[in-house]
Each structure stands twice: as structure tokens, then as C-alpha cells.
Amino acid sequence: MPTPEYIKDLRQDIGHKELLLPAVTAVVIRHVDNNSNQLPAPEVLLVKRVDNGDWGVTSGIMEPGEGPASAAVREVAEEAGVVARPVRVASVADHGLVVYPNGDRCRFTDICFEMEYVSGSPHVADDESTHAGWFSTEALPEPFTHQHRERILAALNSGAPATF
């Protein structure tokens, strides 16, 4: 989903001034059994962004009245057509200042979830990405969103407390 309508409405009032926005990142992990004695590296669901060509995990802005876990589930379904279940909060972080080509300025407070794959075959399900698929966590494609590498590492540390 592109920019939510409520943010477009805010922009009419405040122009390009900096907004602090709640966001979620969903690191969907899938374990593949290769029928060998060695456990393969888990796979992670990735999408390739239309705007900058970077690969990353699914992420997005929370809607008014929406809980963080529900937003993570929605973003995965909207962006990659996959059903996933939140397992735990893996990290909470400031995404840093983002300045868009039109001059809009945003800071995202991101809640990252470790997510368990439930069902569905990854595909481009909206206009925000050009590709969607599973990748080994040991062989992530390039170019890759820097913050998402950190969030994948936090999600892979299953059972650990969230990082801040």
C-alpha cells in the first residue's frame, strides 16, 4: 500500500515537516527440511522495492487503531501474498530520518517482529515491489536495505529478548 490516506491528509496541513510515524517490520522465517543430517540455513521472505531497487523484508506504517502485530500480518499479506504469524518482538528501533524525493520528511519508530510462515506462495501483491521470494539467510541478494539486515539478525536470534 502506498502512503496511507491519513498521512496524505496530514501533509495537506503540515507540508513537508518531519513526521514521527509508527512502523512495523515483519521478518518471515521459513525452515526447510532438505532430508540431510545438516540443518540448512533458514529462509527469509524478501521483496524488492520499486522506489529504490533494494531488497528487504516487508515493512510499513501502522494504520490508526491498528495494533503492531496486526499491522505486521497485514503488511506481509499486502506486499507478498503470504500468511504469517507473529512469534515475538525482535527489536524496536529508530529507522532514522527519511527524506523523500518530494521533500516529505519522516522518522519511523519501528517494531520488528519475528514471524513464522503459515501459508501462501510469495508473489508481488501490490505496487510497492517488483519481486517477492524466499532467500537463504546466508545468501541475501544485493542491494539490500541496511536496517533490514540488523532486523533479520534480531529475528533469527529466536527466543532472545528484543533488542533496542
Side-chain angles (χ1 to χ4, degrees):
M1 170 194 273
T3 305
E5 287 302 317
Y6 83 95
I7 293 176
K8 290 179 183 177
D9 292 344
L10 280 172
R11 286 288 179 206
Q12 289 180 5
D13 295 336
I14 67 166
H16 300 298
K17 291 179 184 173
E18 188 174 312
L19 281 175
L20 177 62
L21 297 170
V24 295
T25 297
V27 180
V28 183
I29 299 169
R30 178 174 81 165
H31 297 276
V32 180
D33 183 7
N34 64 357
N35 296 323
S36 76
N37 291 338
Q38 278 190 316
L39 290 176
E43 293 179 328
V44 64
L45 178 65
L46 301 178
V47 294
K48 187 171 186 180
R49 296 174 54 106
V50 166
D51 60 353
N52 62 13
D54 284 355
W55 285 93
V57 293
T58 58
S59 60
I61 299 167
M62 291 173 51
E63 297 285 342
E66 183 177 43
S70 297
V73 169
R74 175 184 53 77
E75 288 292 341
V76 172
E78 283 181 359
E79 292 184 24
V82 166
V83 177
R85 179 184 71 79
V87 175
R88 70 180 178 98
V89 172
S91 68
V92 178
D94 171 35
H95 194 71
L97 179 64
V98 178
V99 181
Y100 291 95
N102 70 354
D104 287 353
R105 300 167 60 87
C106 296
R107 254 182 221 283
F108 298 96
T109 299
D110 182 78
I111 302 167
C112 173
F113 288 89
E114 173 189 349
M115 306 280 286
E116 177 182 51
Y117 169 71
V118 175
S119 65
S121 180
H123 62 276
V124 175
D126 65 11
D127 60 357
E128 291 184 54
S129 55
T130 60
H131 296 84
W134 294 106
F135 292 84
S136 169
T137 56
E138 294 179 346
L140 299 176
E142 293 291 337
F144 203 86
T145 303
H146 169 72
Q147 291 96 339
H148 287 197
R149 282 188 196 280
E150 294 172 354
R151 292 179 179 130
I152 289 170
L153 290 174
L156 288 173
N157 197 2
S158 189
T163 60
F164 301 97

